[in-house]
Coordinates of all heavy atoms in Angstrom, one line a residue:
L1 N 91.1 62.4 78.5 CA 91.3 61.3 79.4 C 92.6 60.6 79.2 O 93.4 60.2 80.1 CB 90.1 60.2 79.2 CG 90.2 59.0 80.1 CD1 90.2 59.4 81.6 CD2 89.0 58.1 79.8
D2 N 93.0 60.5 77.9 CA 94.3 59.9 77.5 C 95.4 60.7 78.2 O 96.4 60.1 78.7 CB 94.4 59.9 76.0 CG 95.7 59.3 75.6 OD1 96.0 58.1 75.9 OD2 96.5 60.0 74.9
T3 N 95.4 62.0 78.1 CA 96.4 62.9 78.7 C 96.4 62.7 80.2 O 97.5 62.6 80.9 CB 96.2 64.4 78.3 OG1 96.3 64.5 76.9 CG2 97.3 65.2 78.9
L4 N 95.2 62.7 80.8 CA 95.1 62.5 82.3 C 95.8 61.2 82.7 O 96.5 61.1 83.7 CB 93.7 62.6 82.7 CG 93.5 62.5 84.2 CD1 94.2 63.6 85.0 CD2 92.0 62.5 84.5
V5 N 95.5 60.1 82.0 CA 96.1 58.8 82.3 C 97.6 58.8 82.2 O 98.3 58.3 83.0 CB 95.5 57.7 81.4 CG1 96.2 56.4 81.5 CG2 94.0 57.5 81.7
R6 N 98.1 59.4 81.1 CA 99.6 59.5 80.9 C 100.2 60.3 82.1 O 101.2 60.0 82.6 CB 99.9 60.1 79.6 CG 99.6 59.2 78.4 CD 100.3 59.6 77.1 NE 100.3 61.1 76.8 CZ 99.4 61.7 76.0 NH1 98.5 61.0 75.3 NH2 99.5 63.0 75.8
L7 N 99.5 61.4 82.5 CA 100.0 62.2 83.6 C 100.0 61.4 84.9 O 101.0 61.4 85.6 CB 99.1 63.4 83.8 CG 99.5 64.7 83.1 CD1 98.4 65.8 83.2 CD2 100.8 65.3 83.6
A8 N 98.9 60.7 85.2 CA 98.9 59.9 86.4 C 99.9 58.9 86.4 O 100.6 58.7 87.4 CB 97.5 59.3 86.5
N9 N 100.1 58.2 85.3 CA 101.1 57.1 85.2 C 102.5 57.7 85.4 O 103.3 57.1 86.2 CB 101.1 56.4 83.9 CG 99.9 55.5 83.8 OD1 99.4 55.0 84.8 ND2 99.4 55.2 82.6
R10 N 102.8 58.8 84.8 CA 104.1 59.4 84.9 C 104.4 60.0 86.4 O 105.5 59.9 86.9 CB 104.3 60.6 83.9 CG 105.6 61.3 84.0 CD 106.8 60.4 83.8 NE 108.1 61.0 83.9 CZ 108.8 61.1 85.1 NH1 108.3 60.5 86.1 NH2 109.9 61.7 85.1
L11 N 103.3 60.5 87.0 CA 103.5 61.0 88.3 C 103.4 60.0 89.4 O 103.7 60.2 90.6 CB 102.4 62.1 88.6 CG 102.5 63.4 87.7 CD1 101.3 64.2 87.9 CD2 103.8 64.1 88.0
G12 N 103.0 58.8 89.0 CA 102.9 57.7 90.0 C 101.7 57.8 90.9 O 101.8 57.3 92.1
V13 N 100.6 58.3 90.4 CA 99.4 58.5 91.2 C 98.2 57.8 90.5 O 98.3 57.5 89.3 CB 99.1 59.9 91.6 CG1 100.2 60.5 92.4 CG2 98.9 60.8 90.3
T14 N 97.1 57.7 91.2 CA 96.0 57.1 90.5 C 95.0 58.2 90.0 O 95.1 59.3 90.5 CB 95.2 56.2 91.5 OG1 94.7 57.0 92.6 CG2 96.0 55.1 92.0
I15 N 94.2 57.8 89.1 CA 93.2 58.7 88.5 C 92.2 59.2 89.6 O 91.9 60.4 89.7 CB 92.4 58.1 87.4 CG1 93.3 57.7 86.2 CG2 91.3 59.0 86.9 CD1 94.0 58.9 85.5
D16 N 91.8 58.3 90.5 CA 90.9 58.7 91.5 C 91.5 59.7 92.5 O 90.9 60.6 93.0 CB 90.3 57.5 92.3 CG 91.3 56.6 93.0 OD1 92.5 56.6 92.5 OD2 90.9 56.0 94.0
Y17 N 92.8 59.6 92.7 CA 93.5 60.6 93.5 C 93.5 61.9 92.8 O 93.2 62.9 93.5 CB 95.0 60.1 93.8 CG 95.8 61.2 94.4 CD1 95.7 61.6 95.8 CD2 96.7 61.9 93.6 CE1 96.4 62.6 96.3 CE2 97.5 62.9 94.2 CZ 97.3 63.3 95.5 OH 98.1 64.3 96.0
M18 N 93.8 61.9 91.5 CA 93.8 63.2 90.8 C 92.4 63.8 90.8 O 92.4 65.1 90.8 CB 94.3 62.9 89.3 CG 95.6 62.3 89.2 SD 96.9 63.5 89.5 CE 97.0 64.2 87.9
L19 N 91.4 63.1 90.7 CA 90.0 63.6 90.6 C 89.2 63.7 91.9 O 88.1 64.1 91.8 CB 89.2 62.8 89.5 CG 89.8 62.8 88.1 CD1 89.0 61.9 87.2 CD2 89.9 64.2 87.5
A20 N 89.8 63.3 93.0 CA 89.1 63.2 94.2 C 88.4 64.5 94.6 O 87.3 64.5 95.2 CB 90.1 62.8 95.4
D21 N 89.0 65.7 94.3 CA 88.4 67.0 94.6 C 87.2 67.3 93.7 O 86.4 68.1 94.1 CB 89.4 68.1 94.5 CG 90.5 68.0 95.5 OD1 90.3 67.4 96.6 OD2 91.6 68.5 95.3
S22 N 87.0 66.5 92.6 CA 85.9 66.8 91.7 C 84.7 65.9 91.9 O 83.7 66.2 91.3 CB 86.4 66.6 90.3 OG 87.5 67.5 90.0
V23 N 84.8 64.9 92.8 CA 83.7 64.0 93.0 C 83.1 64.3 94.3 O 83.8 64.4 95.4 CB 84.2 62.5 93.0 CG1 83.1 61.6 93.3 CG2 84.9 62.2 91.7
S24 N 81.8 64.6 94.3 CA 81.1 64.9 95.5 C 80.7 63.6 96.3 O 80.4 62.6 95.7 CB 79.9 65.7 95.2 OG 79.0 65.0 94.4
D25 N 80.8 63.7 97.6 CA 80.4 62.6 98.4 C 79.0 62.8 99.0 O 78.8 63.2 100.1 CB 81.4 62.5 99.6 CG 82.7 61.9 99.2 OD1 82.8 61.2 98.2 OD2 83.7 62.2 99.9
N26 N 78.0 62.5 98.1 CA 76.6 62.6 98.6 C 76.1 61.2 98.6 O 76.7 60.3 98.1 CB 75.8 63.5 97.7 CG 75.8 63.1 96.3 OD1 75.8 62.0 96.0 ND2 75.8 64.1 95.4
D27 N 74.9 61.0 99.3 CA 74.4 59.7 99.4 C 74.2 58.9 98.1 O 74.5 57.8 98.0 CB 73.0 59.7 100.2 CG 73.2 59.9 101.7 OD1 74.4 59.8 102.2 OD2 72.2 60.2 102.4
S28 N 73.7 59.6 97.1 CA 73.4 58.9 95.8 C 74.7 58.5 95.2 O 74.8 57.4 94.6 CB 72.6 59.7 94.9 OG 73.2 60.9 94.5
N29 N 75.8 59.3 95.3 CA 77.1 58.9 94.7 C 77.7 57.7 95.5 O 78.2 56.8 94.9 CB 78.0 60.1 94.8 CG 79.3 59.9 94.1 OD1 79.5 58.9 93.3 ND2 80.3 60.7 94.3
I30 N 77.5 57.7 96.8 CA 78.1 56.6 97.6 C 77.3 55.3 97.2 O 77.9 54.3 97.1 CB 77.9 56.9 99.1 CG1 78.8 58.1 99.5 CG2 78.3 55.7 99.9 CD1 80.3 57.9 99.4
I31 N 76.0 55.4 97.1 CA 75.2 54.2 96.8 C 75.6 53.7 95.4 O 75.7 52.5 95.2 CB 73.7 54.5 96.9 CG1 73.3 54.7 98.4 CG2 72.8 53.5 96.3 CD1 72.0 55.3 98.6
E32 N 75.8 54.6 94.5 CA 76.2 54.2 93.1 C 77.6 53.5 93.2 O 77.8 52.5 92.4 CB 76.3 55.4 92.2 CG 76.6 55.1 90.8 CD 75.7 54.0 90.1 OE1 74.5 53.9 90.4 OE2 76.2 53.3 89.3
Q33 N 78.5 54.0 94.0 CA 79.8 53.3 94.1 C 79.6 51.9 94.7 O 80.2 51.0 94.2 CB 80.7 54.1 95.1 CG 81.2 55.4 94.4 CD 82.1 56.2 95.4 OE1 83.0 55.6 96.0 NE2 81.8 57.5 95.6
F34 N 78.7 51.7 95.7 CA 78.5 50.4 96.2 C 77.9 49.5 95.1 O 78.3 48.3 94.9 CB 77.5 50.4 97.3 CG 78.1 50.7 98.7 CD1 77.7 51.9 99.4 CD2 79.0 49.9 99.3 CE1 78.3 52.2 100.6 CE2 79.5 50.2 100.5 CZ 79.2 51.3 101.2
R35 N 77.0 50.1 94.3 CA 76.3 49.3 93.2 C 77.4 48.9 92.2 O 77.4 47.7 91.7 CB 75.3 50.2 92.6 CG 74.5 49.4 91.5 CD 73.3 50.2 91.0 NE 72.3 50.3 92.1 CZ 71.8 51.4 92.6 NH1 72.2 52.6 92.1 NH2 70.9 51.4 93.5
Q36 N 78.3 49.8 91.8 CA 79.3 49.4 90.9 C 80.2 48.3 91.4 O 80.6 47.4 90.6 CB 80.2 50.6 90.5 CG 79.5 51.7 89.7 CD 80.2 52.9 89.5 OE1 81.4 53.1 90.0 NE2 79.7 53.9 88.8
I37 N 80.6 48.4 92.7 CA 81.4 47.3 93.3 C 80.7 46.0 93.3 O 81.3 44.9 93.0 CB 81.9 47.8 94.7 CG1 82.8 49.0 94.6 CG2 82.5 46.6 95.4 CD1 83.1 49.6 95.9
T38 N 79.5 46.0 93.6 CA 78.8 44.7 93.9 C 78.1 44.1 92.6 O 77.7 43.0 92.6 CB 77.7 44.9 95.0 OG1 76.8 45.9 94.6 CG2 78.4 45.2 96.3
D39 N 77.9 44.9 91.6 CA 77.1 44.4 90.4 C 77.6 43.1 89.9 O 76.8 42.2 89.6 CB 77.2 45.5 89.3 CG 76.0 46.4 89.3 OD1 75.1 46.2 90.2 OD2 76.0 47.4 88.6
C40 N 78.9 42.9 89.8 CA 79.4 41.7 89.1 C 79.7 40.6 90.1 O 80.2 39.5 89.8 CB 80.7 42.0 88.4 SG 82.0 42.6 89.4
Q41 N 79.3 40.8 91.4 CA 79.5 39.7 92.4 C 78.3 38.8 92.5 O 77.2 39.2 92.3 CB 79.8 40.4 93.7 CG 81.0 41.3 93.8 CD 82.3 40.5 93.5 OE1 82.4 39.4 93.9 NE2 83.2 41.1 92.7
P42 N 78.6 37.6 92.9 CA 77.5 36.6 93.1 C 76.7 37.0 94.3 O 77.2 37.7 95.2 CB 78.2 35.3 93.3 CG 79.6 35.5 93.3 CD 79.9 36.9 93.0
L43 N 75.5 36.5 94.4 CA 74.5 36.9 95.5 C 75.2 36.6 96.9 O 75.0 37.4 97.8 CB 73.2 36.1 95.3 CG 72.1 36.4 96.3 CD1 71.8 37.9 96.3 CD2 70.9 35.6 96.1
E44 N 75.8 35.5 97.0 CA 76.4 35.1 98.3 C 77.4 36.2 98.8 O 77.5 36.5 99.9 CB 77.2 33.7 98.2 CG 76.3 32.6 97.7 CD 76.4 32.6 96.2 OE1 77.4 32.6 95.5 OE2 75.3 32.5 95.6

């Protein structure tokens, strides 16, 4: 991970861009992404 971060920083790209081909877009993955985004947010 350390090497990947150094590479991404040097190349001027994000880690998610580098790994986009490795992450599958299925329903459970999408729902988990929503959960991660909203977990720390207030109810409103």
Side-chain angles (χ1 to χ4, degrees):
L1 181 58
D2 182 58
T3 301
L4 182 61
V5 168
R6 290 194 321 257
L7 267 170
N9 285 334
R10 177 61 183 93
L11 295 172
V13 296
T14 61
I15 297 292
D16 60 332
Y17 169 76
M18 299 285 279
L19 298 177
D21 294 335
S22 299
V23 178
S24 61
D25 285 332
N26 57 39
D27 281 350
S28 62
N29 187 12
I30 297 294
I31 291 168
E32 182 56 31
Q33 289 178 49
F34 278 118
R35 187 172 289 123
Q36 288 173 1
I37 291 169
T38 60
D39 268 353
C40 61
Q41 298 298 321
L43 184 59
E44 307 83 53

